[in-house]
Amino acid sequence: MDNAKINFTKKKPVEIKYRDYKCFDESAFNEDLKEAFRNSEIQNCKEFEHTVMDMLDFHAPLKKKILRANNAPYITKKLRKAIMKRSQLEKIYLKKQTEKSLSNYKKQKNYVSRLYKKERKIFYDSLNPSIVSDNKKFWKTVKPLFSNKGNFGNKIKLVENEKIIDGDIEIAEELNNFFKNAVESLHIRENQFIIQNVDNACSPVEKAIKKFQFHPSILLIKNKINNSISTSFSFCEVTKDEVLREINSINNKKATPVNTIPPKILKISAEYSSDTLTTLVNKSLTFSKKYPANLKLADITPTYKKKDPQAKENYRPVSVLPVISKVFERLMQKQINSFITNHLSDVLCGYRQGFSTQHALIKLIESWRQSLDKKGYSGAVLMDLSKAFDTINHESKSSRIWF
């Protein structure tokens, strides 16, 4: 029986940008950043981010490198140079067609073959067993080899009206328009009995309040909540300790948009930047009462899901927000959650701390059991909505698509 052999399509070299932390001095970076904060009056989050990024560009500049086709982890620098020399000798042989050039090429080819086997053996012998035992690391390594989900760095090509679209800018514009107009293209009619027409001149908050003021869910919530002073909500000022706590709880591995502060740098400079960030948070939440516009900007990556990879309908947008927005969101979420929890139904389990899908299932099963014990009937209507989130109209959003 012949051994199974898997061939993978050779990919083109990819140029990537990375930060050079080889000579990064944490104490020097913090001292310079502290001086920059002292000498400048930062009025908003955009200025704060520019100040940190300018200092980061000085201490850990951006660099470029090329990842060659099918870059395997066991391809060392020594082996890569040997392969390059083999290619050079092959070209010389093809050009001159002499015995000496052929001998040099064969000699280098055999050397590369031996070195390849040696380096691969060293790599697998020293392989950390945790990569195999850790499910997350294992599937991250293996899944791209056996699954067609996700583009895994492959170039996206679309077919629209029998025309092939393969330019990066054209693809970005096509997908951006599709994601932006996904709800409008469904031609869903709004229920005018529960949704009111409002003036576009209203602020977003006033617009939402007026538009849904007679929605059945809103009316039920109003009936449950007493019209007392305790039902009014407003954001309170946060302290430096609260901001520090949220910064330090951020995962360093979380992705961030291009040219924004990495989580690692925000945590390193937390002691020096938290004062400024606390002032900006309080200014936005309690004084201007506006969420910073630049924190709403997201880098959107189109991710292939299923079926035809050349149809734009089979891609989903994955949004990545700046790390500062995560600090804002967590601080706001804690205040909103502490206020609204007492007004929510006990059977509402979605997006609530201490609740899960298990609680919802237990509640349903118990309700059915009680009904059957009383000689009653139980029924359920189960629905699986395809692309359910595509039907949510965000009305407006700012985004950038990156590949």
Side-chain angles (χ1 to χ4, degrees):
M1 180 178 175
D2 295 335
N3 293 328
K5 185 177 181 181
I6 301 176
N7 295 319
F8 300 101
T9 304
K10 189 174 182 179
K11 302 176 184 177
K12 294 182 179 180
V14 179
E15 184 182 86
I16 64 170
K17 293 181 180 180
Y18 69 99
R19 289 205 173 271
D20 183 12
Y21 289 102
K22 186 176 181 180
C23 300
F24 181 75
D25 188 333
E26 184 176 325
S27 59
F29 170 76
N30 282 329
E31 284 299 322
D32 289 347
L33 187 61
K34 182 180 178 181
E35 189 69 20
F37 283 141
R38 187 186 295 117
N39 297 333
S40 59
E41 295 182 2
I42 297 176
Q43 301 296 325
N44 51 55
C45 290
K46 190 173 183 179
E47 293 179 3
F48 172 84
E49 193 165 61
H50 283 168
T51 302
V52 177
M53 290 303 296
D54 287 344
M55 202 57 60
L56 181 60
D57 288 337
F58 177 76
H59 287 271
L62 275 173
K63 290 190 175 182
K64 297 179 181 179
K65 69 177 179 180
I66 295 177
L67 291 181
R68 299 194 177 275
N70 295 337
N71 187 45
Y74 47 78
I75 303 294
T76 61
K77 186 176 182 179
K78 182 179 180 181
L79 178 56
R80 187 174 289 111
K81 286 187 174 181
I83 293 172
M84 290 173 64
K85 187 176 180 180
R86 181 194 63 184
S87 300
Q88 291 173 356
L89 293 174
E90 183 182 16
K91 289 180 181 178
I92 292 173
Y93 163 67
L94 293 174
K95 184 177 181 180
K96 296 184 176 180
Q97 295 287 332
T98 62
E99 291 185 5
K100 184 178 179 181
S101 60
L102 177 60
S103 176
N104 291 337
Y105 167 61
K106 286 185 175 180
K107 185 177 179 181
Q108 184 66 20
K109 182 180 178 182
N110 293 334
Y111 171 71
V112 169
S113 180
R114 293 194 303 271
L115 185 59
Y116 173 79
K117 293 176 182 178
K118 178 183 175 182
E119 295 293 351
R120 191 167 60 169
K121 184 177 185 302
I122 292 173
F123 171 77
Y124 285 114
D125 287 343
S126 61
L127 197 61
N128 190 347
S130 64
I131 296 178
V132 179
S133 58
D134 189 317
N135 285 338
K136 186 175 181 181
K137 292 180 179 179
F138 174 80
W139 286 112
K140 185 178 180 181
T141 305
V142 174
K143 193 174 181 180
L145 305 179
F146 299 99
S147 174
N148 62 350
K149 288 193 175 181
N151 56 28
F152 300 111
N154 293 332
K155 183 177 175 62
I156 297 176
K157 289 185 179 180
L158 301 177
V159 176
E160 188 70 16
N161 298 325
E162 299 183 355
K163 180 183 177 182
I164 298 176
I165 305 174
D166 57 359
D168 289 345
I169 296 177
E170 291 79 5
I171 291 173
E173 290 177 350
E174 187 71 28
L175 289 172
N176 188 56
N177 291 331
F178 171 69
F179 294 149
K180 184 173 65 176
N181 303 316
V183 177
E184 294 180 7
S185 63
L186 296 175
H187 304 293
I188 299 175
R189 292 183 299 173
E190 292 185 335
N191 191 335
Q192 296 302 323
F193 293 100
I194 60 176
I195 298 178
Q196 307 301 308
N197 291 322
V198 294
D199 186 4
N200 290 328
C202 297
S203 68
V205 175
E206 292 175 341
K207 188 175 181 180
I209 293 174
K210 292 180 180 179
K211 188 174 183 179
F212 300 101
Q213 60 182 327
F214 298 116
H215 194 284
S217 297
I218 300 299
L219 295 177
L220 287 172
I221 292 173
K222 285 183 177 180
N223 290 334
K224 182 178 179 180
I225 300 177
N226 297 324
N227 293 322
S228 60
I229 299 176
S230 61
T231 59
S232 61
F233 171 81
S234 59
F235 286 107
C236 303
E237 290 191 7
V238 298
T239 63
K240 177 182 175 180
D241 290 337
E242 289 179 290
V243 175
L244 273 173
R245 194 180 304 116
E246 296 305 328
I247 292 176
N248 291 325
S249 65
I250 293 174
N251 187 349
N252 281 350
K253 295 182 180 180
K254 287 293 183 183
T256 54
V258 177
N259 296 328
T260 60
I261 304 173
K264 171 185 173 181
I265 295 302
L266 186 63
K267 293 177 77 171
I268 286 175
S269 62
E271 189 62 35
Y272 301 95
S273 60
S274 55
D275 285 324
T276 305
L277 198 54
T278 301
T279 302
L280 294 175
V281 171
N282 289 328
K283 182 180 178 181
S284 298
L285 299 187
T286 60
F287 296 103
S288 66
K289 296 183 179 180
K290 291 183 179 180
Y291 194 82
N294 66 304
L295 299 188
K296 300 177 186 178
L297 289 172
D299 282 358
I300 297 180
T301 302
T303 303
Y304 168 67
K305 287 296 182 181
K306 59 181 180 179
K307 296 182 179 179
D308 184 7
Q310 296 179 337
K312 61 186 179 183
E313 295 82 7
N314 296 326
Y315 287 84
R316 295 290 170 270
V318 177
S319 303
V320 179
L321 290 165
V323 67
I324 303 177
S325 70
K326 302 182 190 300
V327 177
F328 268 76
E329 288 172 0
R330 292 180 181 183
L331 292 168
M332 295 170 65
Q333 187 268 344
K334 285 189 175 181
Q335 293 192 27
I336 295 173
N337 190 59
S338 62
F339 170 81
I340 203 171
T341 296
N342 296 329
H343 303 305
L344 296 177
S345 170
D346 295 334
V347 296
L348 180 61
C349 301
Y351 306 102
R352 295 182 68 185
Q353 187 176 5
F355 290 82
S356 67
T357 52
Q358 292 180 351
H359 290 84
L361 289 172
I362 292 172
K363 173 65 179 177
L364 286 172
I365 293 171
E366 185 63 20
S367 299
W368 295 337
R369 186 190 63 78
Q370 290 179 2
S371 178
L372 294 174
D373 288 345
K374 296 177 181 179
K375 308 299 182 183
Y377 297 93
S378 296
V381 178
L382 307 178
M383 293 184 294
D384 182 13
L385 300 178
S386 178
K387 304 179 184 178
F389 284 99
D390 285 355
T391 63
I392 300 175
N393 192 354
H394 302 283
E395 294 186 355
S396 65
K397 64 180 175 182
S398 299
S399 60
R400 303 173 291 195
I401 288 192
W402 298 89
F403 295 95

